[in-house]
Amino acid sequence: MTEQPSISLNDGRSMPQIGLGTYQIPDEDTAGVVQAAIDAGYRAVDTAAIYGNEAGTGAGVRARDETIFVTSKLWRDDFGYDAALKGFEKSFDRLGLDWVDLYLLHWPFVEETRFVETWKALVRLREEGRVKSIGVSNFTMDHLERIIHDTGVVPAVNQIELHPSFQQVELRAYHDENHIVTTSWSPLGQGAALADPAITAIAAKHGKTPAQVVLRWHIEAGLTVIPKTTNPARLAENFAIFDFALDADDERAIAALDRRDGRIGPDPTTFAG
Ligand code: A2P
């Protein structure tokens, strides 16, 4: 099997640097895609309560005899301390696994005042052991400061929109200072990054595809990455990124693609869920 890198988390554990993203994969298709991903070498999969495919994700993982790092996320309906504990039970039952490797608050949700107490519920779940690591998603520096200040518990991960057009340089620097691992969602810019002439030129130079160049860029930047595809050939393509390296010219060309207005998903400071 291809050697693949892992990243150390601030709680002493580690996570595979590449995983399968499952956003928008229908539950009935998910088990098959997860199995295909595991067969292609993936050892991590990312789901969420709101994706509606935790059952398929768990079924796919259980169908293979491999240790798979599973991430899921708590949605707004289950915010609040007691509600979060109950929300986790539902996810845990749907997944049908012995534990969840990483459990995230999915968004800070604007006007949601309870994310600190909800975070405390995740701390408790980790203490109980059915969740091994805890983190957040779509948190800004302000949100991170608030939970760290109020609880003293630093999230292991912040999963954020991140791709060549939206590189999140400041937030990543904050993560690095605070030993928070960054996971890039929509690492391919939902496919948009793949047509960029700078990316296609680098791909041609290395004899790789644009997707492989972009994913390699995330890996070399020390990010964890969860590209989504349901296509078996692309699953393999997206995983075949450990046999080449970008050079300094490539790095400069990709750095130049960053744009202030490059966000394609919701803005965490206004998104209400
Ligand atoms: P599909 O599922 O049909 O393969 P992101 O992870 O940035 O959100 O991007 C996901 C989008 O990119 C999906 O539309 C997916 O389509 C497409 N995609 C994933 N991998 C590749 C690839 N290797 N080449 C082209 N498109 C891809």
Side-chain angles (χ1 to χ4, degrees):
M1 203 200 86
T2 313
E3 279 291 314
Q4 58 182 294
S6 288
I7 292 264
S8 297
L9 303 176
N10 64 19
D11 57 13
R13 300 180 73 244
S14 66
M15 72 185 280
Q17 236 182 317
I18 183 166
L20 172 70
T22 65
Y23 178 51
Q24 289 178 334
I25 303 181
D27 195 32
E28 58 273 24
D29 299 340
T30 303
V33 179
V34 168
Q35 287 167 64
I38 295 170
D39 295 344
Y42 292 70
R43 291 294 174 266
V45 59
D46 180 275
T47 181
I50 196 70
Y51 299 171
N53 59 18
E54 288 173 309
T57 298
V61 169
R62 290 196 311 273
R64 291 290 180 269
D65 192 19
E66 297 287 349
T67 303
I68 307 300
F69 187 103
V70 176
T71 299
S72 194
K73 317 187 193 82
L74 184 84
W75 190 246
R76 189 193 53 196
D77 305 352
D78 296 316
F79 267 42
Y81 187 86
D82 291 334
L85 298 177
K86 291 196 190 105
F88 171 74
E89 286 305 326
K90 288 184 274 171
S91 283
F92 189 67
D93 287 349
R94 284 189 291 260
L95 285 162
L97 302 169
D98 293 337
W99 67 80
V100 175
D101 287 281
L102 179 62
Y103 197 48
L104 308 179
L105 299 188
H106 202 149
W107 287 86
F109 300 118
V110 68
E111 289 169 17
E112 172 54 73
T113 53
R114 295 168 301 173
F115 64 82
V116 172
E117 59 174 287
T118 311
W119 179 241
K120 289 181 181 164
L122 265 59
V123 174
R124 173 166 160 188
L125 289 168
R126 186 181 63 178
E127 284 164 3
E128 289 174 358
R130 282 180 303 166
V131 170
K132 300 289 185 189
S133 296
I134 55 175
V136 295
S137 185
N138 302 300
F139 272 43
T140 64
M141 260 180 266
D142 287 347
H143 297 118
L144 289 165
E145 287 279 313
R146 175 120 179 255
I147 57 171
I148 294 168
H149 176 267
D150 287 9
T151 70
V153 180
V154 182
V157 166
N158 188 16
Q159 183 183 125
I160 55 175
E161 179 182 340
L162 202 163
H163 43 80
S165 303
F166 196 62
Q167 300 186 16
Q168 300 259 32
V169 175
E170 285 166 30
L171 187 50
R172 279 160 60 192
Y174 177 88
H175 288 171
D176 290 346
E177 277 163 33
N178 289 279
H179 308 289
I180 299 168
V181 166
T182 306
T183 298
S184 307
W185 65 254
S186 278
L188 305 172
Q190 290 173 9
L194 308 180
D196 190 290
I199 300 290
T200 55
I202 297 168
K205 183 172 102 183
H206 290 281
K208 289 298 214 175
T209 67
Q212 289 170 327
V213 166
V214 173
L215 294 171
R216 181 74 202 176
W217 171 78
H218 288 272
I219 297 287
E220 290 186 14
L223 308 166
T224 55
V225 67
I226 47 168
K228 174 258 166 184
T229 182
T230 53
N231 173 314
R234 287 176 176 171
L235 276 177
E237 174 188 336
N238 293 351
F239 196 75
I241 55 174
F242 301 111
D243 58 354
F244 78 113
L246 302 175
D247 61 31
D249 288 342
D250 304 336
E251 297 289 350
R252 267 192 296 276
I254 298 175
L257 301 178
D258 191 20
R259 298 199 331 256
R260 282 252 156 226
D261 64 349
R263 190 192 290 285
I264 50 181
D267 182 338
T269 63
T270 56
F271 182 64

